Amino acid sequence: MEKRTTYHEEKERENILKLREVVATLPSFTKDFFRGTSVSTSAHTRLKYAYDIRIFFQFLVHENPAYKGKTIRDLKLEDLDQVTALDLEEYMEYLKAYQPEDGAEYVTNGEKGIKRKLSALRAFYSYYFKHEMIINNPTLLIDMPKLHQKEIIRLDADEVAALLDFIESCGDHLSPHQRSYYEKTKKRDLAIITLLLGTGIRVSECVGLDLEDVDFRNNGIRVTRKGGNEMIIYFGEEVETALFDYIEERAAITPLAGHEHALFYSSQRKRINVKTVENLVKKYASRVTTTKKITPHKLRSTYGTALYQETGDIYLVADVLGHKDVNTTKRHYAAMDEMRRRKAATAVHLRED
């Protein structure tokens, strides 16, 4: 029996092919970096590196007088050694607003975007410095942007209930055409949002699920985490009911070739994609709250918050959410720890009234 290609294997293949296209636009010496880091990074990570490094080279040839008249492909390995810490500080300023080479609209970056691009550049320089192919590493001489912690946006318990109730009953307020589409997708949409709210899985993990990944005997789903590790995530009765109802309906759908194993189908009978899930979450959530911009990631935060409130176990939350470092989880839920500490101030009475 021929082994089938999983969603994640197919995405890896697509990213590898796309990476080759992007690397072909970069200086020839960069191939060493992408080949050398292939054993420790995914193709998705290397592809993001390639885009970010290309922006750096674009900055050099367009903004730095030392490289005037050169194209990105003209750059040599020895050019890396000529870059100074001051150049990198100018690059950080450039990243705040720059125009892509194709003349498209200006791109802007906040703290997070700038930090990611500098992290990619640090990895790039570190590779050549470690292999003694360059003698300077100016990326170590500049400070990384400090990220200001943002408040976690999540749904409150009553908003979660209102969201699920709305998905189940919003057909009453639609036109005949809208109602027809709604009826076709209602059970799927309810299953997706209930699953995201009830397990905290990432949207990429959700769209990558196959039918065979659902185990109703143990009420678990097999997800492929970042880095390719597989993990069983368990779900409760509400998720079980929503999934079971959708899978019964799914049985009547004839998928397009190559999509037979996908758990969630689009209206085109193909595996649903991340953008479609993002849009349906936005569509339903906007009817429940107008003050919060709800995305699939915010549903993940909603689950993490509820789990932490119920258990107080930050290590459990980190494990279920798939955070490799518990400090990542702690940063996300630091405000809740503050609330718990404030309660401690009134929990102990020194004298009876």
Side-chain angles (χ1 to χ4, degrees):
M1 183 178 178
E2 185 178 351
K3 182 181 182 295
R4 65 184 175 87
T5 302
T6 68
Y7 166 80
H8 298 282
E9 290 170 339
E10 178 62 25
K11 292 299 290 185
E12 182 78 357
R13 186 185 73 86
E14 290 177 8
N15 286 329
I16 288 172
L17 295 177
K18 185 62 180 177
L19 176 61
R20 289 175 183 170
E21 290 180 19
V22 179
V23 171
T25 68
L26 300 178
S28 58
F29 71 85
T30 61
K31 292 179 181 178
D32 294 333
F33 168 73
F34 293 105
R35 183 176 58 249
T37 55
S38 64
V39 295
S40 58
T41 60
S42 67
H44 180 250
T45 296
R46 297 194 303 281
L47 180 58
K48 289 195 293 185
Y49 279 167
Y51 284 131
D52 290 344
I53 291 165
R54 185 165 66 181
I55 294 169
F56 172 65
F57 288 143
Q58 176 186 319
F59 159 76
L60 289 183
V61 299
H62 291 313
E63 305 292 330
N64 194 312
Y67 305 94
K68 187 177 180 180
K70 289 189 176 183
T71 67
I72 288 177
R73 290 284 294 168
D74 291 334
L75 295 175
K76 306 296 182 185
L77 181 58
E78 50 266 30
D79 287 317
L80 293 185
D81 260 327
Q82 307 308 313
V83 175
T84 66
L86 182 60
D87 290 329
L88 295 185
E89 289 177 358
E90 292 176 353
Y91 174 55
M92 291 170 65
E93 185 64 28
Y94 171 80
L95 287 174
K96 293 178 181 178
Y98 67 90
Q99 191 170 25
E101 283 201 309
D102 59 8
E105 292 185 5
Y106 273 81
V107 176
T108 60
N109 283 278
E111 297 168 342
K112 190 174 181 180
I114 293 173
K115 185 172 184 178
R116 195 196 82 179
K117 289 173 176 59
L118 287 179
S119 294
L121 197 58
R122 271 193 174 178
F124 186 65
Y125 260 89
S126 176
Y127 173 83
Y128 294 102
F129 188 74
K130 185 175 68 175
H131 287 78
E132 300 181 329
M133 300 166 74
I134 57 177
I135 58 175
N136 297 312
N137 186 353
T139 64
L140 299 178
L141 303 177
I142 59 169
D143 295 327
M144 296 291 275
K146 184 177 180 181
L147 300 184
H148 292 83
Q149 200 64 37
K150 295 181 180 179
E151 181 186 1
I152 298 176
I153 298 175
R154 52 186 175 265
L155 293 174
D156 298 328
D158 59 334
E159 291 172 327
V160 169
L163 174 61
L164 297 177
D165 288 345
F166 180 76
I167 298 171
E168 289 181 324
S169 61
C170 72
D172 299 338
H173 312 289
L174 302 175
S175 68
H177 177 73
Q178 291 172 325
R179 184 179 179 85
S180 174
Y181 180 78
Y182 162 74
E183 292 296 340
K184 289 179 181 178
T185 61
K186 178 175 75 170
K187 289 185 178 180
R188 181 203 68 183
D189 295 352
L190 184 62
I192 289 173
I193 291 182
T194 304
L195 180 64
L196 294 173
L197 283 167
T199 62
I201 61 173
R202 298 177 176 90
V203 63
S204 59
E205 295 165 349
C206 177
V207 302
L209 288 171
D210 287 341
L211 182 64
E212 295 83 356
D213 293 326
V214 183
D215 175 13
F216 284 114
R217 179 175 296 179
N218 297 297
N219 272 13
I221 51 171
R222 180 178 56 214
V223 299
T224 302
R225 294 294 199 189
K226 283 184 176 179
N229 296 326
E230 289 188 352
M231 182 178 183
I232 301 298
I233 303 294
Y234 297 97
F235 52 79
E237 291 182 5
E238 291 170 291
V239 175
E240 176 188 20
T241 300
L243 281 177
F244 189 82
D245 288 347
Y246 164 69
I247 289 174
E248 273 195 328
E249 184 176 83
R250 176 191 177 281
I253 300 173
T254 303
L256 295 185
H259 298 268
E260 296 86 355
H261 297 277
L263 175 59
F264 294 114
Y265 290 137
S266 69
S267 55
Q268 288 79 38
R269 297 178 290 120
K270 300 188 294 185
R271 182 185 295 275
I272 200 168
N273 60 39
V274 169
K275 189 65 176 177
T276 299
V277 175
E278 290 174 340
N279 286 340
L280 71 89
V281 169
K282 179 181 178 181
K283 176 181 72 174
Y284 289 120
S286 65
R287 301 298 294 271
V288 173
T289 173
T290 58
T291 59
K292 299 176 181 177
K293 184 180 178 182
I294 300 300
T295 63
H297 192 75
K298 302 301 187 293
L299 301 186
R300 178 170 158 83
S301 296
T302 299
Y303 172 80
T305 300
L307 182 60
Y308 188 48
Q309 287 175 333
E310 286 295 320
T311 66
D313 188 340
I314 198 70
Y315 293 95
L316 174 63
V317 177
D319 182 47
V320 175
L321 292 181
H323 290 163
K324 292 182 179 179
D325 184 354
V326 72
N327 288 318
T328 301
T329 321
K330 286 180 178 177
R331 285 195 298 272
H332 278 78
Y333 299 99
M336 293 175 59
D337 274 333
E338 180 68 21
M339 290 168 56
R340 291 162 67 89
R341 286 193 291 271
R342 286 182 180 275
K343 287 183 179 180
T346 57
V348 176
H349 299 280
L350 302 182
R351 286 190 275 185
E352 295 294 332
D353 293 334

mmCIF file of all heavy atoms in Angstrom, residues 314-346:
data_model
loop_
_atom_site.group_PDB
_atom_site.id
_atom_site.type_symbol
_atom_site.label_atom_id
_atom_site.label_comp_id
_atom_site.label_asym_id
_atom_site.label_seq_id
_atom_site.Cartn_x
_atom_site.Cartn_y
_atom_site.Cartn_z
ATOM 1 N N ILE A 314 0.600 26.430 35.161
ATOM 2 C CA ILE A 314 1.180 27.048 33.974
ATOM 3 C C ILE A 314 1.912 26.030 33.114
ATOM 4 O O ILE A 314 1.986 26.170 31.888
ATOM 5 C CB ILE A 314 2.122 28.209 34.372
ATOM 6 C CG1 ILE A 314 2.378 29.148 33.177
ATOM 7 C CG2 ILE A 314 3.436 27.697 34.947
ATOM 8 C CD1 ILE A 314 1.184 29.961 32.774
ATOM 9 N N TYR A 315 2.437 24.979 33.739
ATOM 10 C CA TYR A 315 3.155 23.947 32.978
ATOM 11 C C TYR A 315 2.185 23.110 32.147
ATOM 12 O O TYR A 315 2.512 22.706 31.022
ATOM 13 C CB TYR A 315 3.963 23.058 33.926
ATOM 14 C CG TYR A 315 5.104 23.799 34.582
ATOM 15 C CD1 TYR A 315 4.953 24.372 35.842
ATOM 16 C CD2 TYR A 315 6.324 23.964 33.927
ATOM 17 C CE1 TYR A 315 6.000 25.087 36.437
ATOM 18 C CE2 TYR A 315 7.367 24.674 34.516
ATOM 19 C CZ TYR A 315 7.198 25.228 35.765
ATOM 20 O OH TYR A 315 8.232 25.945 36.332
ATOM 21 N N LEU A 316 1.010 22.868 32.684
ATOM 22 C CA LEU A 316 -0.014 22.157 31.918
ATOM 23 C C LEU A 316 -0.454 22.994 30.728
ATOM 24 O O LEU A 316 -0.582 22.477 29.610
ATOM 25 C CB LEU A 316 -1.213 21.836 32.817
ATOM 26 C CG LEU A 316 -2.429 21.209 32.108
ATOM 27 C CD1 LEU A 316 -2.053 19.853 31.514
ATOM 28 C CD2 LEU A 316 -3.603 21.075 33.070
ATOM 29 N N VAL A 317 -0.663 24.282 30.953
ATOM 30 C CA VAL A 317 -1.074 25.177 29.865
ATOM 31 C C VAL A 317 -0.008 25.196 28.773
ATOM 32 O O VAL A 317 -0.317 25.094 27.583
ATOM 33 C CB VAL A 317 -1.334 26.602 30.387
ATOM 34 C CG1 VAL A 317 -1.680 27.541 29.239
ATOM 35 C CG2 VAL A 317 -2.459 26.593 31.421
ATOM 36 N N ALA A 318 1.262 25.298 29.179
ATOM 37 C CA ALA A 318 2.360 25.317 28.210
ATOM 38 C C ALA A 318 2.394 24.025 27.401
ATOM 39 O O ALA A 318 2.595 24.043 26.180
ATOM 40 C CB ALA A 318 3.692 25.513 28.932
ATOM 41 N N ASP A 319 2.181 22.907 28.066
ATOM 42 C CA ASP A 319 2.231 21.603 27.400
ATOM 43 C C ASP A 319 1.103 21.462 26.384
ATOM 44 O O ASP A 319 1.324 21.083 25.232
ATOM 45 C CB ASP A 319 2.150 20.483 28.444
ATOM 46 C CG ASP A 319 2.246 19.101 27.813
ATOM 47 O OD1 ASP A 319 3.137 18.889 26.967
ATOM 48 O OD2 ASP A 319 1.422 18.237 28.155
ATOM 49 N N VAL A 320 -0.114 21.795 26.802
ATOM 50 C CA VAL A 320 -1.268 21.628 25.920
ATOM 51 C C VAL A 320 -1.215 22.593 24.738
ATOM 52 O O VAL A 320 -1.576 22.236 23.616
ATOM 53 C CB VAL A 320 -2.582 21.815 26.717
ATOM 54 C CG1 VAL A 320 -3.783 21.771 25.775
ATOM 55 C CG2 VAL A 320 -2.727 20.725 27.776
ATOM 56 N N LEU A 321 -0.727 23.816 24.983
ATOM 57 C CA LEU A 321 -0.632 24.786 23.892
ATOM 58 C C LEU A 321 0.555 24.523 22.976
ATOM 59 O O LEU A 321 0.650 25.117 21.904
ATOM 60 C CB LEU A 321 -0.538 26.208 24.446
ATOM 61 C CG LEU A 321 -1.789 26.763 25.141
ATOM 62 C CD1 LEU A 321 -1.554 28.185 25.611
ATOM 63 C CD2 LEU A 321 -3.004 26.718 24.221
ATOM 64 N N GLY A 322 1.458 23.630 23.405
ATOM 65 C CA GLY A 322 2.605 23.309 22.559
ATOM 66 C C GLY A 322 3.715 24.327 22.614
ATOM 67 O O GLY A 322 4.480 24.466 21.661
ATOM 68 N N HIS A 323 3.820 25.058 23.736
ATOM 69 C CA HIS A 323 4.933 25.997 23.916
ATOM 70 C C HIS A 323 6.173 25.222 24.342
ATOM 71 O O HIS A 323 6.138 24.493 25.334
ATOM 72 C CB HIS A 323 4.599 27.038 24.993
ATOM 73 C CG HIS A 323 3.541 28.011 24.577
ATOM 74 N ND1 HIS A 323 2.851 28.801 25.469
ATOM 75 C CD2 HIS A 323 3.049 28.332 23.353
ATOM 76 C CE1 HIS A 323 1.991 29.558 24.816
ATOM 77 N NE2 HIS A 323 2.100 29.294 23.528
ATOM 78 N N LYS A 324 7.264 25.384 23.606
ATOM 79 C CA LYS A 324 8.495 24.676 23.952
ATOM 80 C C LYS A 324 9.108 25.228 25.238
ATOM 81 O O LYS A 324 9.770 24.513 25.979
ATOM 82 C CB LYS A 324 9.502 24.784 22.800
ATOM 83 C CG LYS A 324 9.074 24.015 21.550
ATOM 84 C CD LYS A 324 10.134 24.124 20.461
ATOM 85 C CE LYS A 324 9.719 23.342 19.225
ATOM 86 N NZ LYS A 324 10.732 23.444 18.138
ATOM 87 N N ASP A 325 8.895 26.514 25.485
ATOM 88 C CA ASP A 325 9.473 27.178 26.658
ATOM 89 C C ASP A 325 8.333 27.699 27.526
ATOM 90 O O ASP A 325 7.512 28.504 27.070
ATOM 91 C CB ASP A 325 10.369 28.328 26.199
ATOM 92 C CG ASP A 325 11.097 29.013 27.359
ATOM 93 O OD1 ASP A 325 10.809 28.663 28.517
ATOM 94 O OD2 ASP A 325 11.923 29.896 27.083
ATOM 95 N N VAL A 326 8.278 27.255 28.770
ATOM 96 C CA VAL A 326 7.195 27.681 29.660
ATOM 97 C C VAL A 326 7.233 29.183 29.895
ATOM 98 O O VAL A 326 6.203 29.802 30.218
ATOM 99 C CB VAL A 326 7.262 26.916 31.001
ATOM 100 C CG1 VAL A 326 8.438 27.399 31.844
ATOM 101 C CG2 VAL A 326 5.951 27.066 31.775
ATOM 102 N N ASN A 327 8.394 29.817 29.705
ATOM 103 C CA ASN A 327 8.483 31.266 29.878
ATOM 104 C C ASN A 327 7.632 32.011 28.855
ATOM 105 O O ASN A 327 7.147 33.111 29.120
ATOM 106 C CB ASN A 327 9.943 31.725 29.785
ATOM 107 C CG ASN A 327 10.751 31.317 31.003
ATOM 108 O OD1 ASN A 327 10.274 31.417 32.130
ATOM 109 N ND2 ASN A 327 11.957 30.831 30.794
ATOM 110 N N THR A 328 7.459 31.406 27.685
ATOM 111 C CA THR A 328 6.561 31.983 26.684
ATOM 112 C C THR A 328 5.152 32.050 27.237
ATOM 113 O O THR A 328 4.454 33.060 27.114
ATOM 114 C CB THR A 328 6.569 31.131 25.397
ATOM 115 O OG1 THR A 328 7.894 31.066 24.887
ATOM 116 C CG2 THR A 328 5.637 31.716 24.338
ATOM 117 N N THR A 329 4.733 30.968 27.883
ATOM 118 C CA THR A 329 3.398 30.905 28.470
ATOM 119 C C THR A 329 3.276 31.897 29.616
ATOM 120 O O THR A 329 2.261 32.585 29.754
ATOM 121 C CB THR A 329 3.107 29.476 28.980
ATOM 122 O OG1 THR A 329 3.633 28.529 28.056
ATOM 123 C CG2 THR A 329 1.625 29.245 29.149
ATOM 124 N N LYS A 330 4.314 31.962 30.431
ATOM 125 C CA LYS A 330 4.288 32.883 31.577
ATOM 126 C C LYS A 330 4.142 34.326 31.125
ATOM 127 O O LYS A 330 3.422 35.111 31.746
ATOM 128 C CB LYS A 330 5.563 32.717 32.405
ATOM 129 C CG LYS A 330 5.604 31.435 33.232
ATOM 130 C CD LYS A 330 6.902 31.351 34.026
ATOM 131 C CE LYS A 330 6.923 30.108 34.897
ATOM 132 N NZ LYS A 330 8.206 29.968 35.639
ATOM 133 N N ARG A 331 4.820 34.686 30.034
ATOM 134 C CA ARG A 331 4.717 36.061 29.536
ATOM 135 C C ARG A 331 3.296 36.372 29.095
ATOM 136 O O ARG A 331 2.788 37.472 29.304
ATOM 137 C CB ARG A 331 5.694 36.284 28.377
ATOM 138 C CG ARG A 331 7.148 36.418 28.792
ATOM 139 C CD ARG A 331 7.981 36.999 27.668
ATOM 140 N NE ARG A 331 7.996 36.152 26.490
ATOM 141 C CZ ARG A 331 8.865 35.172 26.292
ATOM 142 N NH1 ARG A 331 9.782 34.905 27.198
ATOM 143 N NH2 ARG A 331 8.825 34.456 25.185
ATOM 144 N N HIS A 332 2.638 35.374 28.498
ATOM 145 C CA HIS A 332 1.280 35.577 28.010
ATOM 146 C C HIS A 332 0.283 35.748 29.146
ATOM 147 O O HIS A 332 -0.700 36.480 29.016
ATOM 148 C CB HIS A 332 0.849 34.394 27.138
ATOM 149 C CG HIS A 332 1.348 34.482 25.730
ATOM 150 N ND1 HIS A 332 2.640 34.178 25.383
ATOM 151 C CD2 HIS A 332 0.738 34.857 24.590
ATOM 152 C CE1 HIS A 332 2.795 34.349 24.085
ATOM 153 N NE2 HIS A 332 1.665 34.761 23.580
ATOM 154 N N TYR A 333 0.529 35.047 30.235
ATOM 155 C CA TYR A 333 -0.477 35.025 31.301
ATOM 156 C C TYR A 333 0.024 35.694 32.577
ATOM 157 O O TYR A 333 -0.471 35.437 33.667
ATOM 158 C CB TYR A 333 -0.924 33.580 31.554
ATOM 159 C CG TYR A 333 -1.535 32.981 30.315
ATOM 160 C CD1 TYR A 333 -0.794 32.143 29.484
ATOM 161 C CD2 TYR A 333 -2.821 33.321 29.919
ATOM 162 C CE1 TYR A 333 -1.335 31.637 28.310
ATOM 163 C CE2 TYR A 333 -3.369 32.827 28.752
ATOM 164 C CZ TYR A 333 -2.623 31.987 27.952
ATOM 165 O OH TYR A 333 -3.162 31.505 26.793
ATOM 166 N N ALA A 334 1.009 36.599 32.426
ATOM 167 C CA ALA A 334 1.563 37.318 33.581
ATOM 168 C C ALA A 334 0.500 38.164 34.272
ATOM 169 O O ALA A 334 0.477 38.276 35.499
ATOM 170 C CB ALA A 334 2.727 38.202 33.132
ATOM 171 N N ALA A 335 -0.394 38.769 33.483
ATOM 172 C CA ALA A 335 -1.433 39.616 34.069
ATOM 173 C C ALA A 335 -2.359 38.811 34.973
ATOM 174 O O ALA A 335 -2.821 39.302 36.004
ATOM 175 C CB ALA A 335 -2.245 40.284 32.958
ATOM 176 N N MET A 336 -2.599 37.565 34.598
ATOM 177 C CA MET A 336 -3.455 36.722 35.437
ATOM 178 C C MET A 336 -2.750 36.363 36.733
ATOM 179 O O MET A 336 -3.374 36.270 37.789
ATOM 180 C CB MET A 336 -3.835 35.452 34.660
ATOM 181 C CG MET A 336 -4.722 35.737 33.476
ATOM 182 S SD MET A 336 -5.033 34.252 32.507
ATOM 183 C CE MET A 336 -5.785 33.219 33.737
ATOM 184 N N ASP A 337 -1.436 36.178 36.678
ATOM 185 C CA ASP A 337 -0.668 35.925 37.900
ATOM 186 C C ASP A 337 -0.768 37.119 38.836
ATOM 187 O O ASP A 337 -0.864 36.967 40.055
ATOM 188 C CB ASP A 337 0.805 35.659 37.565
ATOM 189 C CG ASP A 337 1.067 34.196 37.240
ATOM 190 O OD1 ASP A 337 0.309 33.354 37.750
ATOM 191 O OD2 ASP A 337 1.999 33.916 36.493
ATOM 192 N N GLU A 338 -0.745 38.326 38.251
ATOM 193 C CA GLU A 338 -0.869 39.536 39.054
ATOM 194 C C GLU A 338 -2.216 39.565 39.774
ATOM 195 O O GLU A 338 -2.303 39.922 40.955
ATOM 196 C CB GLU A 338 -0.715 40.761 38.151
ATOM 197 C CG GLU A 338 -0.833 42.100 38.852
ATOM 198 C CD GLU A 338 0.311 42.385 39.811
ATOM 199 O OE1 GLU A 338 1.387 41.768 39.653
ATOM 200 O OE2 GLU A 338 0.123 43.193 40.733
ATOM 201 N N MET A 339 -3.273 39.166 39.066
ATOM 202 C CA MET A 339 -4.599 39.119 39.677
ATOM 203 C C MET A 339 -4.637 38.117 40.822
ATOM 204 O O MET A 339 -5.236 38.366 41.873
ATOM 205 C CB MET A 339 -5.643 38.742 38.613
ATOM 206 C CG MET A 339 -5.888 39.832 37.572
ATOM 207 S SD MET A 339 -6.861 39.237 36.159
ATOM 208 C CE MET A 339 -8.308 38.603 37.014
ATOM 209 N N ARG A 340 -3.990 36.975 40.625
ATOM 210 C CA ARG A 340 -3.964 35.951 41.670
ATOM 211 C C ARG A 340 -3.196 36.454 42.896
ATOM 212 O O ARG A 340 -3.584 36.197 44.038
ATOM 213 C CB ARG A 340 -3.315 34.670 41.127
ATOM 214 C CG ARG A 340 -4.168 33.974 40.081
ATOM 215 C CD ARG A 340 -3.342 32.997 39.267
ATOM 216 N NE ARG A 340 -2.882 31.875 40.067
ATOM 217 C CZ ARG A 340 -3.561 30.740 40.240
ATOM 218 N NH1 ARG A 340 -4.738 30.596 39.671
ATOM 219 N NH2 ARG A 340 -3.087 29.760 40.963
ATOM 220 N N ARG A 341 -2.097 37.185 42.645
ATOM 221 C CA ARG A 341 -1.321 37.710 43.763
ATOM 222 C C ARG A 341 -2.105 38.769 44.534
ATOM 223 O O ARG A 341 -1.995 38.881 45.756
ATOM 224 C CB ARG A 341 0.006 38.280 43.262
ATOM 225 C CG ARG A 341 1.023 37.219 42.873
ATOM 226 C CD ARG A 341 2.410 37.820 42.702
ATOM 227 N NE ARG A 341 2.489 38.683 41.532
ATOM 228 C CZ ARG A 341 2.813 38.271 40.318
ATOM 229 N NH1 ARG A 341 3.088 36.989 40.110
ATOM 230 N NH2 ARG A 341 2.875 39.113 39.303
ATOM 231 N N ARG A 342 -2.903 39.561 43.833
ATOM 232 C CA ARG A 342 -3.715 40.571 44.511
ATOM 233 C C ARG A 342 -4.749 39.909 45.431
ATOM 234 O O ARG A 342 -5.047 40.418 46.518
ATOM 235 C CB ARG A 342 -4.424 41.459 43.480
ATOM 236 C CG ARG A 342 -3.496 42.451 42.798
ATOM 237 C CD ARG A 342 -4.261 43.337 41.836
ATOM 238 N NE ARG A 342 -3.378 44.287 41.192
ATOM 239 C CZ ARG A 342 -3.016 45.460 41.703
ATOM 240 N NH1 ARG A 342 -3.462 45.810 42.914
ATOM 241 N NH2 ARG A 342 -2.216 46.268 41.040
ATOM 242 N N LYS A 343 -5.275 38.767 44.988
ATOM 243 C CA LYS A 343 -6.235 38.042 45.823
ATOM 244 C C LYS A 343 -5.577 37.560 47.105
ATOM 245 O O LYS A 343 -6.222 37.462 48.154
ATOM 246 C CB LYS A 343 -6.816 36.853 45.053
ATOM 247 C CG LYS A 343 -7.808 37.236 43.970
ATOM 248 C CD LYS A 343 -8.387 36.000 43.292
ATOM 249 C CE LYS A 343 -9.394 36.385 42.218
ATOM 250 N NZ LYS A 343 -9.954 35.171 41.544
ATOM 251 N N ALA A 344 -4.283 37.272 47.043
ATOM 252 C CA ALA A 344 -3.572 36.785 48.220
ATOM 253 C C ALA A 344 -3.554 37.830 49.330
ATOM 254 O O ALA A 344 -3.511 37.497 50.521
ATOM 255 C CB ALA A 344 -2.135 36.402 47.845
ATOM 256 N N ALA A 345 -3.624 39.104 48.940
ATOM 257 C CA ALA A 345 -3.574 40.175 49.938
ATOM 258 C C ALA A 345 -4.775 40.156 50.870
ATOM 259 O O ALA A 345 -4.685 40.576 52.026
ATOM 260 C CB ALA A 345 -3.479 41.524 49.232
ATOM 261 N N THR A 346 -5.909 39.675 50.371
ATOM 262 C CA THR A 346 -7.131 39.661 51.191
ATOM 263 C C THR A 346 -7.542 38.245 51.603
ATOM 264 O O THR A 346 -8.580 38.064 52.238
ATOM 265 C CB THR A 346 -8.284 40.310 50.412
ATOM 266 O OG1 THR A 346 -8.467 39.623 49.158
ATOM 267 C CG2 THR A 346 -7.996 41.775 50.131
#
